[in-house]
Amino acid sequence: MGQAYDFTRYGPVHHGDVLLVSDGVAVLDRAWPVMVSGRSDVFHRLADGVTWAEYLADLATDKAARLAAGLELVALPADVLAARAVDFADLPDADADLFGGAA
């Protein structure tokens, strides 16, 4: 999870992108990975009692639309979502030092 968090800081991921991680599924909200399902001691989460609909209503229209698109992907069945996934180490801008030479 820590390596995935680092990747969101320096890798080629963008606002609204979905992240499949060991502890669940997250979506990148501007610069921060936020858990949608599962638990994490590393990624962020919505405040208790706040729904995604409420959160999206507080964002600028362009940011809300991109984040909503990512949340729609998260709703796909896990096997479909996994089949569409790309390993972050295989992305074109992956930094070899960040991934221990895996890129």
Side-chain angles (χ1 to χ4, degrees), residues 21-97:
V21 291
S22 59
D23 295 337
V25 180
V27 65
L28 193 64
D29 176 18
R30 293 163 283 184
W32 302 279
V34 181
M35 292 301 289
V36 177
S37 65
R39 297 184 52 97
S40 173
D41 293 330
V42 178
F43 283 11
H44 303 273
R45 64 182 178 87
L46 292 182
D48 290 339
V50 175
T51 67
W52 280 104
E54 293 167 333
Y55 183 76
L56 290 172
D58 287 339
L59 292 179
T61 304
D62 61 327
K63 296 289 184 198
R66 176 95 173 128
L67 191 55
L71 291 169
E72 285 181 23
L73 287 175
V74 171
L76 293 173
D79 59 333
V80 173
L81 192 56
R84 296 173 121 187
V86 175
D87 189 308
F88 65 88
D90 293 334
L91 291 170
D93 296 326
D95 178 354
D97 291 333

